[in-house]
Amino acid sequence: MFGNLFEEEDEEGVSPSPSGRVAKGGEEPPPPRGRVNLSGIKNQGGTCYLNSLLQTLLFTPEFREELFNLGPEELGRLEDKDKPEAKVRVIPLELQRLFAGLLLVDQQCASTADLTDSFGWNNSEESSQHDVQELNRILFSALEHSVVGTNGSTLIHRLYHGTTVNSIVCKECGNVSQRQEDFLDLTVCVRGVCSLEGALWDMFVEEEMFEGSNLYRCAQCDRLVTAAKSAKLRKLPPFLTVSLLRFSFDFTKLERYKETGRYTFPLNIDLRPFCEQADGGDSDFSYELFSVIVHKGGCYGGHYHVYIKDIDQLGQWEPAEDDTKPKVQKKQIRACEAEVENDDPLSVLTAIIAQEPSKSVLMDQLGQKLLDKIGSSWSKKFRKQYGPIGKFLQSHSDVFILVCNGTQVALKAYPPSPLTQPPSPADQNLHPAPASDPPHRSSTNTTPEPPHQPEPEPEGCHWFDLNDSTVTSIREADIEKQFQGKESAYMLFYRKTTLQRPIEALKNPQYKVPPHLLEMAMEENRKLQQRREEFEASNNTVELRLHLAPCYRLENGALQPINPEPGGVTMLSFDRRKTVGDLRLTIYQIQELWEGDMALTMAKSLPAGLHLYNTLTEDDLSLYSSGIYTSADLFVWNGREVSGAALLTGAEWEPVLLTVVRPSLGDEAEDGHQNGVGAEETRGGVENGASVLRREARGFAGGATLGEVREALGEPRESLLCQEKRAGKRGGEEGGGASGWRVFPPEDMQRTLKELALKDGDSLLVLESNSFDSSVFSRSGDVVTVTTPSDCRWLQVEFRPQGRDGERDKDEKRKKAMVPATGIMLLSEVKQRAMEELQLQELLSGVDCCLRQVDHTGKLLPPVCEELSVRDSGIRLMTSLTLCPGTAPKATQLFLHYCVGTAPPAGLQWEIIMEKTCTVKECLKTMLKAAGLDGDSWHLRKLDWCEEVGDPLMEEDASLLELKFSQGDTVVITEGQLPPKGFLKLSVWQYIDQSDGSKVSMETEVNHSAESSPDVQRPKLMIAVGHAKVELRSVGQVEIQDEATLEDLKAQVLTLPALQSVCVPTPAFLRVWQLEGQRLTRIIRGRQNTLSKLKLSCGTDLCVQPLQSEEDLGPKEVMLRIQMGVPGERWYYPPEELMWDASRDSSPRSLRSALAAYYGLSPDSLLLAKHYPDKHTWETLSNWSQQVSKRKKKKKAESLLGAPFHLKDGDIIGVKNLLIDSNREFITSQDEQSQQRLREQAEQRRKGGQASGCAANQGEAPEKKTGPNKTRKPEVALSINVGMFR
């Protein structure tokens, strides 16, 4: 009918369901029901219209009970639906299960996935919204067909069926012509009418006259006569459904629009004036409103929710937050609260806890509630005078009491107990109170009332707003708000006032529910309770690594294990709700031989070794309050010394692992290797004993000065210490072999390593005064240059005429030429110089020729694009090129090989140049024409990296650029039609981190390996990760079924030949990223999730990263790269990875607590910000609250996973320690330079646009630019598939 006319869109209205259809088998159990004790329904993406109608049917008790009366003997059993001979009526059975779950199962919202599967809907139909009026008719039709031959075959007819009669009276002879029509719902007009009564009056009271040119042919008079037409209601159903025609079509503008004018409807209506027979009592024509389906949005998109009157009083109605206090007292109460917060924190905390229904607050939520109440945190308002909030609570033990092992605080006057706790919704549903009991009586309600009592609950039935998974209480007056506007009533449901409910049905959700459905609900509640208990237990169990002091010694500023075997680490599983004293007692029991005091100190494994931070001194605090999380390292010692050496603890004494570089003779370096020093030579050797560089890793305390480091190295005071220059171009980039080092000035000798911003992996060059006698080292001011004497600014070009591959020219000098070249020289210039050197101008006059590389087998590689420079084309200096006849591709073209039937070299191979924008279909047509083939039964396949024929190219309309074709790829023309889909082919890249300190030796090592290794080089890609560059190297492709799991994918990736040298014990040591647009977008997680469930499609690029430990991320664990700011500097320490669990709390407070535990600092001393690499800006993460709407004043804590931050895997988080760093600005000088570059680029684009605009004004007027029209999906009729049961 309407198709997907009402599809939900962002610009009109969005469903508030946060997650849509939830995947089955999730680790976290669904939350229990809310305080209203009613269950919502999950939105599967666009099923809010279905949810609203289902809730209306559920709260129609007569319909619900008639459905429950149909037993398994009539409908069958769902367990038998897959049996071929079974007669199972799936739709009513699934509807019964859904209704029973909504009534009895203790969960916040139920799923309609099984019901929509019984409809025969697929994912696209579940994500597309339809008209709820259309669904009402189709669902009733499907139910009627599903219950044919049962006692419920007349269910819809008895409850919703009504009739109207249309009459035409002849004014000449009085003859009456009547026609009866059936209806399940009345469709009334909205346009031009202001109320429902007015629309019914126009339909069933007003007469339409046939007169003038519009006469009626009377059958009795047998001629055109004047007549009057009218309609009346003949039979009224028990339940009257009214559909409002709010959507119309403007024939002038040729577009749809929504009527948003005021349209009233009564809560009670008398239909006597509109009926054919007016005899009978008033109750026979009286109806009361019990459901209003509301549509929010426009005619092209929106969202449905429903207002429902709880006829059976199943929910627990509660007033809105603003209505709990009298309006006349609000200003006085606010003034009193403001006075309290300024005077006494004891009163503020007491008021916060007293306002909670349970008279208790979680410790980790008390700070946020204090911030919401007074607008300031404890640290800013009271900490200076009263100390930490934990100690303040303990010092007022006469007022407060810590319960649940210190994780919760309550008032001592109202201690929490099982008697004062409200019963769970599951207990209320499965064990309801007797119907004769008053709704407010409770024998356990002995808790004194708070000072301000909420307004008493009104008697009778109450109204609720059921908005997908959210259920809230509303007042009857709120219905008037839906009379008009973009959010207005769309369908009305009335019931006869004569329909009375039995007293035993009130407040009894089990009423008329079949026993087998009661057992199902009880079993589901038992499983849910068990899952919640297991989840709570596992969520509060932390794995601790205990490091014992007798197994360690102090070396190089850090703790090193005495025995390299991992015997000094003891794994301990412990409940974080217990106290530090309980943990200390447990360790005493494990270590029976321990003598003396025992101190527990937070530790962290750093590259230099183990380092200690803060010591746990308060035994009464829980592990949760102490900031101890899973996988935390604890060092067990006496608190004074380790192996006789005193320890320096804290973040300021973090050790730094430096790479000490010294000049050495070649024989000394060789001796060093034999003695096991661990040094390595860099930059290659130099003949006749020239100097090389020896490297050695040494650790130093971060608080040590540079002069102390020099003394620890045993170097004289005259020695120079140099740091490798971080910025600037390397000589190797232009073909040179030089590297620059900055000499530390004398005043830096008194500065610490932290102040000098030295980080793990940095290189420290130690030179003596006689080192500059060698030609390798030269000094200019404060810069030392290390130069290798290799002249490498050249390219060798060899001429190879066509057809003479096996011949050897007698004149070798004419065939080869050394062409001086640099990285920025164009290849066309290189070719021109080579032709001049080889004197080939006359020989190659008028002949196209190109430059090609040659692999180790002598095979010619694809021609290089001569429009590019040497560096941009990927050609390294000091390599060879071949000059041969042929055409070089342009920057917009691709050089491809193709063959027919089989892969080369079995078949004949040709070469062709195609445009990158050419589609697969056009490419196939061109190749067939060049090969002399015709016909339509051909398709293309791409040769993979194994030189084997790969998957067929399924997307014929995709361009070669979109399919990521590269120069030299081979395409195979295969006979036959395209094969069917069903498998995935994924490209795999290897993550290679180059952020270590071995940059001095990497270029030489890569160059030497390239010259000596005969392997073909694999494609590489450099991407930005924060302020660093990371290399991605292609390792090939994998073919795998889309139903395979992520663990299967990792195992298959490890079988690639290019990854055989990578040491990965198990697939769990491998992290898989998704690569999109040269960016690492997300980590693929879930070992047992299938690739189709992970939304991986054919052609997806994946990046694998080997790890040092196993990793199994949860669905809401986020991998963040955190950078601690260098105190007093505009720079950061190297990024570190932090796994942040945001499943329970995704607020900034949770992230700040995790970082505080990671660094061993106080959460109040940290300032956080997120880095945006595209704009080179930082945005501070702070605790703030936002209002949901103007009517609902409830405040919701900010989630970092949503707007505006949208934290995801790989994001950079900057951290400032305000205790030692007064600089609150996160931006660096590099960010400012990048911002300036972006502004210049924008200015150039603006000037270019103005220039084009001026040119257009001088010529023809440019076309008027219109906004892009949003293409909408084709409208598809809604349908429900029903089996045949006649």
Side-chain angles (χ1 to χ4, degrees):
M1 180 178 174
F2 292 97
N4 54 357
L5 169 63
F6 304 98
E7 180 181 358
E8 297 185 32
E9 296 179 359
D10 293 339
E11 66 262 25
E12 297 291 356
V14 181
S15 171
S17 176
S19 57
R21 184 171 181 174
V22 179
K24 298 178 181 179
E27 295 181 2
E28 185 174 358
R33 299 187 179 208
R35 297 171 62 180
V36 296
N37 195 28
L38 295 179
S39 179
I41 302 179
K42 298 176 186 175
N43 192 324
Q44 298 187 48
T47 57
C48 57
Y49 66 106
L50 174 64
N51 298 347
S52 301
L53 182 60
L54 290 176
Q55 294 282 21
T56 299
L57 297 178
L58 173 69
F59 285 89
T60 307
E62 292 77 7
F63 175 86
R64 181 182 71 225
E65 293 166 4
E66 289 282 352
L67 185 66
F68 282 150
N69 287 335
L70 301 176
E73 61 278 358
E74 293 183 294
L75 301 180
R77 298 181 182 276
L78 287 175
E79 297 80 6
D80 303 332
K81 65 179 180 180
D82 295 329
K83 297 181 180 179
E85 299 179 357
K87 187 177 181 181
V88 182
R89 307 171 191 265
V90 183
I91 294 180
L93 285 173
E94 292 290 359
L95 203 55
Q96 284 183 346
R97 289 174 62 97
L98 177 63
F99 282 1
L102 289 171
L103 290 172
L104 303 174
V105 178
D106 183 18
Q107 57 183 358
Q108 182 183 1
C109 54
S111 173
T112 57
D114 294 334
L115 179 63
T116 54
D117 289 343
S118 69
F119 292 169
W121 292 359
N122 52 29
N123 291 334
S124 61
E125 288 172 310
E126 293 168 354
S127 59
S128 300
Q129 193 181 92
H130 295 271
D131 181 22
V132 68
Q133 300 176 4
E134 180 188 12
L135 174 69
N136 183 53
R137 299 175 183 177
I138 293 175
L139 181 60
F140 281 178
S141 176
L143 281 174
E144 285 184 321
H145 286 81
S146 297
V147 296
V148 169
T150 67
N151 293 331
S153 57
T154 60
L155 166 65
I156 303 299
H157 188 274
R158 284 187 285 108
L159 297 181
Y160 297 95
H161 180 264
T163 58
T164 61
V165 58
N166 295 313
S167 303
I168 300 180
V169 180
C170 177
K171 295 297 184 181
E172 300 289 338
C173 64
N175 179 50
V176 179
S177 175
Q178 290 187 337
R179 179 169 55 89
Q180 180 175 300
E181 294 182 356
D182 300 334
F183 70 88
L184 291 179
D185 64 279
L186 289 179
T187 303
V188 298
C189 184
V190 174
R191 182 180 181 184
V193 187
C194 62
S195 66
L196 175 62
E197 297 95 326
L200 293 176
W201 185 274
D202 293 343
M203 292 175 61
F204 300 114
V205 177
E206 293 290 342
E207 292 184 344
E208 180 185 357
M209 297 299 300
F210 296 117
E211 56 187 0
S213 60
N214 184 26
L215 298 176
Y216 169 73
R217 178 172 292 277
C218 177
Q220 187 169 342
C221 300
D222 195 20
R223 61 187 177 89
L224 296 176
V225 297
T226 302
K229 180 182 179 181
S230 62
K232 290 290 183 181
L233 292 170
R234 172 168 290 181
K235 175 191 173 185
L236 294 176
F239 296 92
L240 179 64
T241 304
V242 181
S243 302
L244 308 182
L245 285 177
R246 284 199 175 271
F247 296 97
S248 303
F249 189 84
D250 190 336
F251 289 94
T252 304
K253 299 181 180 179
L254 298 179
E255 63 182 10
R256 298 186 181 107
Y257 69 96
K258 179 179 179 180
E259 296 283 352
T260 58
R262 183 174 178 82
Y263 188 89
T264 63
F265 48 88
L267 298 178
N268 295 276
I269 188 171
D270 184 10
L271 297 182
R272 183 190 296 272
F274 316 116
C275 294
E276 182 182 26
Q277 299 292 334
D279 300 336
D282 294 339
S283 60
D284 296 335
F285 304 96
S286 178
Y287 284 80
E288 64 173 338
L289 183 70
F290 76 97
S291 177
V292 181
I293 293 183
V294 180
H295 180 265
K296 178 182 180 181
C299 59
Y300 290 111
H303 174 68
Y304 289 99
H305 62 105
V306 59
Y307 287 175
I308 288 182
K309 187 176 184 180
D310 186 10
I311 301 297
D312 284 350
Q313 304 178 24
L314 303 179
Q316 297 179 3
W317 188 89
E318 59 180 7
E321 184 177 350
D322 289 346
D323 299 333
T324 57
K325 300 175 183 178
K327 294 183 179 179
V328 294
Q329 298 179 2
K330 286 183 179 178
K331 293 184 179 180
Q332 299 176 0
I333 293 174
R334 291 196 187 108
C336 180
E337 290 179 349
E339 184 178 356
V340 167
E341 76 173 34
N342 292 329
D343 292 340
D344 185 14
L346 184 63
S347 303
V348 177
L349 295 178
T350 304
I352 292 175
I353 300 175
Q355 290 174 359
E356 294 296 317
S358 61
K359 299 296 184 294
S360 63
V361 178
L362 291 173
M363 283 292 296
D364 59 345
Q365 296 179 1
L366 185 59
Q368 182 64 36
K369 291 184 179 294
L370 177 67
L371 180 65
D372 296 339
K373 186 174 184 65
I374 66 176
S376 179
S377 65
W378 177 272
S379 298
K380 293 182 179 180
K381 188 74 177 178
F382 304 116
R383 183 183 177 92
K384 186 176 181 181
Q385 183 178 358
Y386 298 98
I389 189 171
K391 291 186 177 180
F392 180 81
L393 295 174
Q394 293 177 359
S395 62
H396 292 80
S397 57
D398 56 333
V399 180
F400 306 105
I401 180 174
L402 296 178
V403 295
C404 298
N405 293 327
T407 62
Q408 205 167 5
V409 59
L411 295 177
K412 199 168 184 178
Y414 313 125
S417 67
L419 294 178
T420 59
Q421 293 295 328
S424 66
D427 296 336
Q428 293 178 1
N429 290 346
L430 295 181
H431 305 285
S436 59
D437 290 345
H440 307 296
R441 172 177 290 177
S442 175
S443 60
T444 61
N445 190 13
T446 59
T447 304
E449 298 293 334
H452 300 285
Q453 279 295 321
E455 183 177 319
E457 180 181 351
E459 297 290 340
C461 306
H462 311 299
W463 285 84
F464 295 91
D465 179 11
L466 291 93
N467 193 343
D468 286 339
S469 59
T470 306
V471 184
T472 55
S473 304
I474 61 172
R475 297 188 178 275
E476 196 173 68
D478 294 333
I479 301 176
E480 299 180 3
K481 300 176 182 178
Q482 310 304 327
F483 285 168
Q484 61 188 353
K486 297 190 69 174
E487 182 177 7
S488 51
Y490 192 65
M491 286 190 74
L492 309 175
F493 296 84
Y494 287 88
R495 56 183 289 126
K496 279 191 174 182
T497 55
T498 56
L499 297 175
Q500 298 296 326
R501 298 295 295 154
I503 192 66
E504 58 269 16
L506 300 181
K507 299 183 181 296
N508 184 10
Q510 298 186 52
Y511 184 70
K512 292 292 182 71
V513 179
H516 69 281
L517 293 179
L518 286 175
E519 295 178 2
M520 179 208 71
M522 293 180 64
E523 179 65 19
E524 185 67 23
N525 281 331
R526 186 189 64 80
K527 292 180 180 179
L528 283 174
Q529 183 64 22
Q530 182 179 359
R531 286 179 57 192
R532 287 168 184 152
E533 292 176 356
E534 293 175 353
F535 178 79
E536 188 68 19
S538 62
N539 197 44
N540 286 298
T541 300
V542 292
E543 296 291 334
L544 304 177
R545 290 193 292 265
L546 303 180
H547 302 266
L548 306 179
C551 302
Y552 284 84
R553 69 176 185 272
L554 184 62
E555 182 180 344
N556 292 335
L559 291 172
Q560 306 292 341
I562 299 176
N563 191 350
E565 298 181 0
V569 180
T570 302
M571 300 302 298
L572 176 63
S573 298
F574 203 75
D575 193 339
R576 65 174 179 174
R577 292 171 291 187
K578 294 185 177 181
T579 63
V580 176
D582 296 334
L583 175 62
R584 195 187 312 275
L585 181 60
T586 302
I587 299 176
Y588 266 122
Q589 296 173 355
I590 296 176
Q591 302 293 327
E592 297 178 355
L593 301 180
W594 189 276
E595 297 180 357
D597 297 335
M598 177 184 291
L600 302 180
T601 304
M602 298 289 294
K604 181 181 176 183
S605 294
L606 301 175
L610 194 68
H611 184 64
L612 307 186
Y613 294 88
N614 58 313
T615 302
L616 306 179
T617 57
E618 300 181 10
D619 286 356
D620 295 335
L621 284 183
S622 65
L623 268 64
Y624 182 83
S625 301
S626 301
I628 298 179
Y629 297 89
T630 190
S631 301
D633 293 278
L634 287 179
F635 191 73
V636 184
W637 60 315
N638 58 13
R640 297 181 298 274
E641 48 83 22
V642 175
S643 299
L647 294 184
L648 298 174
T649 62
E652 64 274 13
W653 293 101
E654 277 188 359
V656 180
L657 186 65
L658 300 179
T659 302
V660 180
V661 183
R662 288 186 176 93
S664 173
L665 294 178
D667 53 355
E668 294 179 1
E670 184 177 355
D671 294 340
H673 284 291
Q674 294 176 357
N675 295 332
V677 177
E680 61 176 87
E681 299 180 7
T682 64
R683 291 285 177 189
V686 183
E687 297 180 0
N688 301 327
S691 294
V692 293
L693 298 180
R694 292 184 55 210
R695 311 174 67 85
E696 180 184 4
R698 292 285 299 272
F700 305 94
T705 63
L706 198 59
E708 294 173 348
V709 170
R710 183 172 58 186
E711 294 178 4
L713 292 174
E715 299 293 335
R717 298 177 60 89
E718 295 79 13
S719 299
L720 297 180
L721 299 183
C722 311
Q723 182 185 15
E724 189 174 11
K725 296 177 64 177
R726 294 174 180 172
K729 293 185 177 180
R730 293 282 198 87
E733 295 182 0
E734 292 292 338
S739 61
W741 299 75
R742 185 182 67 86
V743 179
F744 285 106
E747 57 269 18
D748 283 352
M749 294 300 154
Q750 303 303 321
R751 300 178 65 186
T752 64
L753 301 184
K754 292 288 186 182
E755 294 173 347
L756 293 172
L758 289 174
K759 58 184 182 299
D760 292 323
D762 279 356
S763 298
L764 193 66
L765 178 62
V766 182
L767 295 177
E768 298 181 3
S769 56
N770 58 358
S771 300
F772 299 100
D773 298 338
S774 171
S775 60
V776 177
F777 304 99
S778 60
R779 179 176 180 180
S780 175
D782 62 344
V783 176
V784 173
T785 303
V786 183
T787 308
T788 56
S790 56
D791 182 14
C792 50
R793 298 173 181 264
W794 51 264
L795 283 171
Q796 178 176 280
V797 179
E798 178 182 359
F799 174 61
R800 181 183 296 184
Q802 189 173 2
R804 298 179 60 183
D805 293 347
E807 301 180 5
R808 303 294 297 174
D809 199 320
K810 296 181 181 179
D811 193 356
E812 292 288 343
K813 294 183 180 179
R814 294 196 58 187
K815 293 188 63 177
K816 298 180 181 179
M818 301 285 289
V819 179
T822 61
I824 61 176
M825 181 182 292
L826 295 178
L827 287 171
S828 58
E829 186 178 353
V830 174
K831 184 180 74 172
Q832 184 64 29
R833 291 189 180 184
M835 293 175 62
E836 294 175 357
E837 291 287 340
L838 298 173
Q839 300 179 3
L840 298 174
Q841 295 91 333
E842 296 181 1
L843 179 63
L844 299 179
S845 177
V847 179
D848 291 334
C849 57
C850 58
L851 293 175
R852 305 178 71 166
Q853 291 179 296
V854 181
D855 62 6
H856 65 282
T857 63
K859 177 184 176 182
L860 289 175
L861 297 179
V864 296
C865 178
E866 298 176 3
E867 299 175 357
L868 301 177
S869 64
V870 173
R871 183 185 299 110
D872 294 340
S873 62
I875 298 175
R876 296 196 310 273
L877 300 178
M878 300 185 299
T879 57
S880 298
L881 294 174
T882 300
L883 180 65
C884 55
T887 304
K890 298 180 180 179
T892 60
Q893 295 176 335
L894 289 173
F895 179 87
L896 303 176
H897 299 281
Y898 71 99
C899 62
V900 180
T902 58
L908 184 60
Q909 183 178 359
W910 296 282
E911 300 173 349
I912 192 171
I913 295 179
M914 301 294 299
E915 291 290 336
K916 294 181 180 180
T917 56
C918 177
T919 63
V920 174
K921 187 180 296 184
E922 296 170 350
C923 185
L924 175 60
K925 184 177 180 181
T926 304
M927 291 180 178
L928 288 175
K929 183 177 180 180
L933 301 174
D934 53 7
D936 298 331
S937 58
W938 300 92
H939 67 272
L940 294 182
R941 291 175 179 257
K942 189 177 178 182
L943 206 66
D944 60 15
W945 60 276
C946 296
E947 295 294 328
E948 296 179 356
V949 179
D951 297 335
L953 303 180
M954 306 296 294
E955 302 177 9
E956 294 186 304
D957 295 329
S959 65
L960 301 181
L961 183 62
E962 294 173 345
L963 296 179
K964 301 178 182 178
F965 270 73
S966 56
Q967 300 287 348
D969 282 348
T970 302
V971 180
V972 181
I973 304 175
T974 307
E975 188 173 5
Q977 298 292 337
L978 284 173
K981 302 179 180 180
F983 50 88
L984 301 178
K985 192 164 187 179
L986 309 173
S987 301
V988 183
W989 298 72
Q990 181 184 358
Y991 184 104
I992 300 176
D993 192 357
Q994 294 183 338
S995 61
D996 55 11
S998 58
K999 296 181 180 179
V1000 181
S1001 62
M1002 282 195 68
E1003 293 182 3
T1004 307
E1005 290 173 0
V1006 170
N1007 291 337
H1008 289 333
S1009 62
E1011 294 176 1
S1012 59
S1013 175
D1015 297 337
V1016 179
Q1017 289 192 4
R1018 295 172 296 182
K1020 299 179 182 178
L1021 181 66
M1022 298 298 296
I1023 64 172
V1025 178
H1027 294 94
K1029 291 289 184 179
V1030 172
E1031 177 184 344
L1032 302 185
R1033 188 173 300 168
S1034 175
V1035 294
Q1037 293 179 324
V1038 293
E1039 290 184 39
I1040 192 168
Q1041 293 289 334
D1042 54 0
E1043 293 302 322
T1045 63
L1046 176 61
E1047 193 168 10
D1048 297 334
L1049 172 64
K1050 292 182 179 180
Q1052 187 164 340
V1053 166
L1054 290 176
T1055 62
L1056 293 175
L1059 294 179
Q1060 294 303 306
S1061 60
V1062 179
C1063 181
V1064 179
T1066 63
F1069 286 78
L1070 202 65
R1071 178 185 295 166
V1072 181
W1073 291 84
Q1074 184 170 349
L1075 185 64
E1076 292 180 359
Q1078 297 188 1
R1079 285 185 179 274
L1080 300 176
T1081 55
R1082 66 174 177 131
I1083 297 177
I1084 310 298
R1085 63 198 72 203
R1087 295 181 180 179
Q1088 301 304 321
N1089 288 340
T1090 62
L1091 303 185
S1092 58
K1093 187 176 181 180
L1094 294 172
K1095 299 181 181 180
L1096 295 182
S1097 58
C1098 194
T1100 302
D1101 284 350
L1102 302 179
C1103 176
V1104 294
Q1105 179 184 2
L1107 303 175
Q1108 299 297 324
S1109 59
E1110 293 186 353
E1111 181 181 87
D1112 186 17
L1113 297 182
K1116 284 194 176 181
E1117 281 189 276
V1118 186
M1119 194 284 288
L1120 301 175
R1121 292 187 172 94
I1122 56 176
Q1123 290 183 319
M1124 174 65 76
V1126 180
E1129 299 286 342
R1130 301 179 64 188
W1131 195 251
Y1132 295 89
Y1133 294 120
E1136 302 172 272
E1137 291 184 357
L1138 172 69
M1139 300 302 170
W1140 175 46
D1141 186 6
S1143 58
R1144 296 179 63 89
D1145 188 4
S1146 58
S1147 64
R1149 174 177 49 82
S1150 173
L1151 178 58
R1152 184 176 285 104
S1153 300
L1155 287 170
Y1158 183 85
Y1159 286 110
L1161 299 172
S1162 170
D1164 296 331
S1165 64
L1166 298 182
L1167 185 64
L1168 312 181
K1170 177 189 174 183
H1171 183 246
Y1172 294 88
D1174 296 333
K1175 301 179 181 179
H1176 303 282
T1177 58
W1178 295 81
E1179 184 171 0
T1180 305
L1181 308 181
S1182 59
N1183 287 327
W1184 61 281
S1185 301
Q1186 57 182 357
Q1187 291 185 355
V1188 178
S1189 65
K1190 293 182 179 179
R1191 293 175 304 186
K1192 303 176 182 179
K1193 300 298 183 180
K1194 297 181 179 179
K1195 294 183 178 180
K1196 181 177 64 176
E1198 173 195 11
S1199 172
L1200 295 180
L1201 303 182
F1205 297 105
H1206 298 285
L1207 284 191
K1208 59 184 182 302
D1209 294 324
D1211 279 351
I1212 297 290
I1213 300 297
V1215 184
K1216 294 280 189 177
N1217 184 1
L1218 300 181
L1219 297 178
I1220 59 176
D1221 191 359
S1222 59
N1223 181 18
R1224 290 175 172 264
E1225 295 295 331
F1226 285 86
I1227 191 169
T1228 64
S1229 57
Q1230 182 179 353
D1231 292 328
E1232 292 178 345
Q1233 295 174 4
S1234 301
Q1235 291 179 7
Q1236 179 63 26
R1237 185 170 62 254
L1238 291 177
R1239 286 192 291 267
E1240 293 174 356
Q1241 294 174 357
E1243 182 66 20
Q1244 292 177 358
R1245 289 193 297 268
R1246 187 184 65 80
K1247 291 181 179 179
Q1250 290 178 353
S1252 60
C1254 295
N1257 294 333
Q1258 294 176 1
E1260 297 181 358
E1263 295 183 2
K1264 183 179 179 180
K1265 184 176 180 181
T1266 59
N1269 295 325
K1270 185 173 183 179
T1271 59
R1272 303 190 179 275
K1273 301 177 182 177
E1275 296 182 1
V1276 181
L1278 183 66
S1279 63
I1280 297 178
N1281 299 327
V1282 185
M1284 300 301 296
F1285 305 106
R1286 298 185 183 278

